[in-house]
Structures are given as C-alpha cells and as structure tokens.
C-alpha cells in the first residue's frame, strides 16, 4: 500500500515539475560556476559588480533565459531574470548579492580570489557571503529552465549589487526604479543557513526578522576650568557615569513569534545545559539568572532578548590641563523590530537620571523597519520540508541582531526568508567566517545548497495542479 502510494506520488509529481536533476553532473557544473564567481574580484568598495553581472548574463542567456541589467552606476549593475509561471500565485524572488567585503591578502593561506579547493574546502572571499547564494539561485534558474518545470508563480532571480557597503546602487535602486520587475510575494535571500557542529548538521536557521540599528548620543555638559582645580560637575565624569549606567542596564526582555519559537526549538537540538537555559528564559523565577549567564557567555543570544546598547565612541577634551565643558558618547542601539524608540530613549533618560546628560537621537543610514515575515505560511513550510529533505534537520526561525537588505523588501510587503548554505560553527572561531580575515566553505555545502535551493523553489513555486 505504501509502495503504491509512493509510486502514485512520484509519478504524479515528475511531469509537473520536470525531472529531478542528475545531481552528480549538476555538482560539477555548480562548482565550476561557483569558482568562477569567487574569482571575480567584486570587493565593495568599490564593488565593480558589473563584472559579476557580465558572467551571470552570459550563463543565463546561453540557455535562453532573458535578463535585464539594471544599473544606476554602470560599474555596479544588478541583474534581473524571470521564468514565467501560470500566474496562480504571485512571484517568488530569489536573490544573492554579488559584492564582497574587503580583504587583507597577507592574512590568507590561499589567495582571496583563487577559489582554491583544498581538503574538502573552497577558499575565497565571498565563498560564504554571498556567492554561494548567488550561484545556487542562478543554478536553480538553469535547472528550472532545462526541466521545463511547471510553475504556479513566476520565479525572479536577482544578482544584487552593493549589499556590503552601499545599498544605493543595489537594493534601494531596485526597489525605487525596478519595483515592477522584482515585485514578489515571497523572497529568499541571505540571512540563515544550516548550522553544523562537530561535523554534524544540527538545524537550519531561517531569518524572518531583524533588529533595527539606531544611533544616539549622550551629551554631557558642565563648567569648564583649569585642570589643577577639579570640578564635581566635570562633563567627562558625568558622561562616564552615564555610559556605565546605560551599558550595565538591562532593557526589558521581550519575545516575538520568531524569538519565542527560536528558543523553544533550539532547546530541542541543544546540549542539556543549553536546553535548560533556553527553557528557563520563559520561567519568571529563573529567567534573570539565565539572562545574566547569557550576558557574560553568549552575547549574540543575549542581544536577541531586548533592544541593546553598545557605547562605541567617546569624545571629550582638548588638552590635559583644561576641563572640557562638553563630553560625548556615541551609542550603537539595536532595536527590537517593534520597539517604540522614543519611549526607549525616555527609559534611558530615567536610567541615567542626570540633568547634565542628554540623550540625543542622531541620524543613521538605516534600513527601514518592517513586521516579521510569517512562519505560518506554506512558503515557510516548504523551506522546512526542503531543509529536512536535503540535510535531515529541523528548521528554526531566527531574528538577526544586525540588518540585511531584506528589510527593504519586507517594508514593501514581501515575505522574506533568510536562508544560506551549511557552515561549520567551529570555523567562525578559527577565523574563516563571513567578514573574517579569511573565508571558506565546505565543498559539500556548495553542492547541498544547490539541492536545497531547488527543493525550496520547487516547494514554493512548483505547480500543484
Ligand atoms: Zn552578505
């Protein structure tokens, strides 16, 4: 009975979405494109993403996929390609960014744009961030086209410029000048991935929301004077106290759908000690002790609990013998997605409780705020199914404590899910992560990411009729 059902299922599906790819030959092709993309130096600044677009354009056009090159700056082009569906559902956008962060070549075992393969790894800037996504999304377009996959919705592919250092020619330009061409209901872009610890894939993280960066100044004022006659009202002293107070203050802990589910599910795949901590976060009697532990031992997780404040710049004084009349600290604030920032500043004023120190909001080049993407949609469930099929791992929704370009799409109503390839947790400490001195990815992760992308797109866009 089970076999007959399986046969029915299999043969009912194949003609609808085309043949399952021959992964052995796809792997070879994927690695070739991946290495070629990593070998293109698209360090941002200056970017030169058009070099990447030239490559991608050639590959897609060779297979009859039309492309649009969208460039605000001729050297910093984006590329858009679309495969048509039957229009039952609104489009799916799959996106990878083509620029990479800077390198210091002296710090690399293998040259940063060599894409050297060594002992199961591929080395190079962009291997994790984000040419793995770019290549997998591009490969998915090729595979969809070749297999004549029947789609319930259009699949739009974007090679995006400027993610790392300048959103102007990239996502902002795409949203402002090419919105009709990229408008979608669902989007997959960088932001998550499969976490491997001790050589074993444990779970997949899907980024569904992110904190918002804000900047505020603490400005202390006082009487100036001669350094030989210390003053109680010295602005530096008031500022130092205020910085200490806000930095050691614990803003109110608050969970949203994503973070609540994150900790609940993370507990299922964690060591007994970590699991107990994640569960105790929701126990009013035990939560404070856990938060104290996280503050000292796991700052990334601690930051997910509340709007955070990090004092990162100080300025005061002109010379050693003069008491300055002003002193200033710049705070990096990372606000929860639903934070009322004015009310938060008011709370800070209460914590500082010093009329000599003002909290002054400061401008910041920031991405827009938006509601979290939903985890109760079929698209999210399709991602769970794809991660389960390719890696045999559970999927956990995740709130990034930093910002991504998905913010611009979410602000325009797109349900965005941050995905990514498999990475070794230990590799971060060894200095091979995104933005680290060096960067590398497992060859196996390159291959599996293409399979994941294919399965995810099949689940979200594949025709069900
Ligand atoms: Zn990136």
């Amino acid at each position: 009975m089970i076999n007959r059902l399986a046969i029915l299922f299999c043969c009912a599906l194949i003609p609808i979405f085309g043949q399952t790819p021959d992964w052995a030959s796809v792997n070879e092709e994927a690695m070739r494109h991946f290495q070629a993309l990593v070998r293109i130096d698209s360090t941002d600044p200056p970017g030169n993403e058009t070099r990447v677009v030239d490559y991608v354009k050639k590959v897609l056009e060779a297979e009859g996929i039309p492309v649009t090159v969208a460039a605000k700056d001729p050297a910093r082009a984006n590329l858009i390609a679309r495969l048509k569906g039957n229009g039952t559902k609104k489009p799916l956008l799959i996106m990878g960014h083509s620029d990479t962060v800077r390198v210091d070549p002296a710090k690399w075992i293998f040259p940063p744009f060599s894409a050297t393969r060594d002992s199961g790894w591929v080395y190079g800037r962009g291997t994790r961030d984000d040419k793995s996504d770019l290549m997998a999304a591009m490969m998915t377009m090729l595979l969809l086209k070749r297999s004549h996959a029947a789609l319930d919705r259009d699949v739009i592919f974007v090679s995006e410029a400027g993610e790392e250092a300048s959103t102007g020619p990239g996502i902002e330009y795409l949203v402002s000048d090419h919105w009709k061409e990229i408008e979608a209901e669902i989007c997959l872009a960088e932001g998550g991935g499969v976490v491997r610890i001790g050589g074993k894939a444990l779970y997949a993280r899907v980024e569904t929301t992110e904190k918002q960066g804000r900047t505020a100044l603490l400005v202390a004022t006082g009487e100036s004077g001669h350094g030989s006659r210390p003053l109680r009202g010295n602005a530096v002293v008031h500022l130092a106290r205020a910085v200490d107070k806000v930095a050691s203050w614990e803003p109110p802990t608050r969970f949203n759908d994503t973070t609540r589910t994150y900790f609940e599910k993370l507990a299922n795949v964690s060591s007994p000690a970590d699991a107990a901590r994640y569960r105790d976060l929701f126990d009013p009697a035990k939560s404070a002790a856990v938060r104290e532990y996280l503050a000292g031992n796991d700052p990334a997780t601690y930051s997910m609990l509340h709007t955070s404040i990090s004092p990162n710049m100080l300025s005061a004084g002109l010379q050693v013998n003069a008491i300055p009349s002003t002193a200033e600290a710049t705070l990096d604030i990372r606000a929860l997605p639903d934070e009322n920032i004015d009310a938060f500043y008011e709370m800070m004023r209460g914590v500082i409780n010093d009329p000599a120190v003002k909290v002054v909001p400061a401008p910041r080049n920031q991405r827009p705020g938006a509601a979290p993407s939903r985890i109760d949609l079929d698209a999210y469930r399709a991602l769970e199914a794809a991660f389960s099929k390719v890696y045999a791992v559970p999927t956990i929704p995740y709130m990034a404590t930093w910002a991504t370009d998905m913010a611009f799409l979410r602000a325009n109503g797109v349900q965005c899910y941050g995905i990514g390839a498999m990475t070794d947790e230990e590799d971060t400490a060894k200095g091979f992560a995104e933005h680290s001195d060096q960067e590398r990815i497992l060859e196996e992760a390159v291959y599996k990411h293409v399979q994941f992308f294919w399965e995810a797109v099949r689940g979200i866009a594949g025709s069900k009729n």
Side-chain angles (χ1 to χ4, degrees):
M1 186 62 187
I2 289 165
N3 279 345
R4 268 174 58 196
L5 264 179
I7 290 163
L8 272 174
F9 250 94
C10 111
C11 303
L13 277 176
I14 283 174
I16 292 171
F17 201 71
Q19 294 295 331
T20 298
D22 166 14
W23 290 117
S25 70
V26 170
N27 287 350
E28 202 181 315
E29 184 185 4
M31 184 56 76
R32 185 162 43 79
H33 287 313
F34 183 56
Q35 286 182 295
L37 289 169
V38 172
R39 285 173 184 150
I40 301 170
D41 179 352
S42 51
T43 305
D44 181 9
N48 286 321
E49 294 92 335
T50 301
R51 294 179 190 161
V52 177
V53 162
D54 289 343
Y55 181 87
V56 173
K57 181 174 187 284
K58 216 163 100 187
V59 171
L60 293 178
E61 284 183 343
E63 308 233 4
I65 301 174
V67 307
T68 304
V69 175
K72 184 178 186 184
D73 172 343
R76 313 204 62 179
N78 306 276
L79 176 144
I80 308 167
R82 179 185 293 251
L83 291 173
K84 295 292 286 178
N86 62 26
T88 311
K89 297 175 187 165
K90 292 202 315 218
L92 163 67
L93 170 63
I94 55 177
M95 190 162 92
H97 69 81
S98 51
D99 58 329
T100 58
V101 292
R102 298 175 109 152
V103 292
D104 175 356
K107 300 218 163 103
W108 288 70
I109 309 172
F110 302 106
F113 302 104
S114 65
T116 303
R117 292 171 71 176
D118 185 77
S119 310
W121 298 88
V122 187
Y123 289 78
R125 182 56 91 213
T127 46
R128 280 169 65 156
D129 182 13
D130 185 37
K131 285 177 174 168
S132 40
D133 284 327
L134 185 68
M135 179 281 292
M138 182 187 82
M139 279 301 300
T140 301
M141 295 297 277
L142 298 179
L143 297 174
L144 291 174
K145 174 78 173 159
R146 287 175 198 162
S147 65
H148 308 288
L151 302 168
D152 273 350
R153 47 173 119 225
D154 293 3
V155 178
I156 305 165
F157 163 71
V158 165
S159 166
E160 180 210 9
E163 194 277 340
E164 296 292 359
S166 40
T167 50
I171 193 70
E172 289 189 65
Y173 174 65
L174 287 168
V175 167
S176 67
D177 287 49
H178 291 271
W179 180 245
K180 279 281 157 261
E181 292 148 84
I182 65 161
E183 186 175 6
E185 180 187 7
I186 310 287
C187 167
L188 305 182
E190 69 164 346
V194 174
V195 177
R196 194 174 93 147
I197 298 173
K200 189 177 181 305
L202 280 189
Y203 61 95
R205 255 191 325 222
V206 170
E207 200 253 54
T208 56
T209 187
E210 55 198 52
K211 291 176 101 176
Q212 259 212 300
R214 302 279 187 161
T215 303
L217 308 177
L218 299 182
V219 182
T221 48
E223 204 181 315
S224 60
H226 197 284
S228 64
R229 295 189 293 269
L231 297 171
R232 289 275 160 91
N234 185 326
V236 173
V237 176
H238 282 262
L239 181 72
R241 276 195 208 116
V243 167
D244 180 32
K245 281 182 189 163
V246 290
S248 48
W249 172 49
E250 185 182 73
T253 293
R254 213 164 62 241
F255 298 99
N256 53 41
D257 270 2
T258 290
T259 53
R260 196 174 299 111
T261 310
Y262 173 77
F263 287 113
E264 284 167 6
K265 293 202 170 188
L266 191 60
N268 298 333
V269 293
S270 296
S271 69
D274 283 337
R277 277 185 208 106
Y278 300 143
R279 294 190 175 112
D280 287 350
L281 273 174
F282 299 95
D283 180 343
K286 297 177 178 166
S287 171
V290 177
R291 297 198 307 267
E292 185 55 29
Y293 173 87
L294 294 175
N297 298 281
D298 188 353
T301 302
Y302 186 59
S303 179
M304 291 173 70
L305 304 178
H306 49 239
T307 294
S308 64
I309 303 170
S310 184
N312 294 348
M313 294 162 78
L314 288 172
S315 88
L318 294 172
Q319 59 191 73
V320 68
N321 59 0
I323 298 172
S325 58
T326 62
E328 210 173 273
T330 306
L331 310 178
D332 182 2
I333 295 174
R334 301 298 172 122
L336 289 174
D338 63 348
E339 190 67 80
N340 176 338
I341 200 70
D342 292 328
F344 186 81
Y345 289 148
E346 221 24 66
M347 267 196 283
M348 280 172 57
R349 291 182 185 108
V351 168
I352 294 166
N353 192 25
D354 181 348
V357 180
K358 293 202 163 27
V359 176
V360 182
R364 178 166 180 153
N365 184 11
Q366 69 185 49
R367 292 167 165 99
S373 296
R374 289 170 54 180
I375 55 177
D376 61 349
L377 297 181
D378 284 346
Y380 182 80
R381 284 189 277 271
L383 295 178
E384 289 182 312
F387 279 122
S388 170
K389 179 163 183 184
V390 176
Y391 298 93
V393 294
T395 296
I396 303 183
Y398 176 69
M399 177 179 76
T401 52
W402 61 90
T404 77
D405 281 353
M406 287 188 288
F408 290 96
L409 298 167
R410 287 196 182 113
N412 279 282
V414 186
Q415 298 289 322
C416 285
Y417 301 107
I419 45 82
M422 177 171 72
T423 54
D424 256 19
E425 194 83 337
E426 296 89 348
D427 231 27
T428 301
K430 291 181 195 159
F432 290 104
E434 303 84 355
H435 300 219
S436 292
D437 278 356
Q438 301 184 75
E439 194 174 338
R440 67 180 182 181
I441 192 169
L442 289 157
E443 289 180 359
E444 181 195 348
V446 175
Y447 303 142
K448 285 206 156 141
H449 197 37
V450 178
Q451 289 182 35
F452 160 78
F453 236 105
W454 163 263
E455 291 294 343
V457 171
R458 167 195 178 111
I460 295 170
S463 187
K464 307 281 192 298
N465 301 309

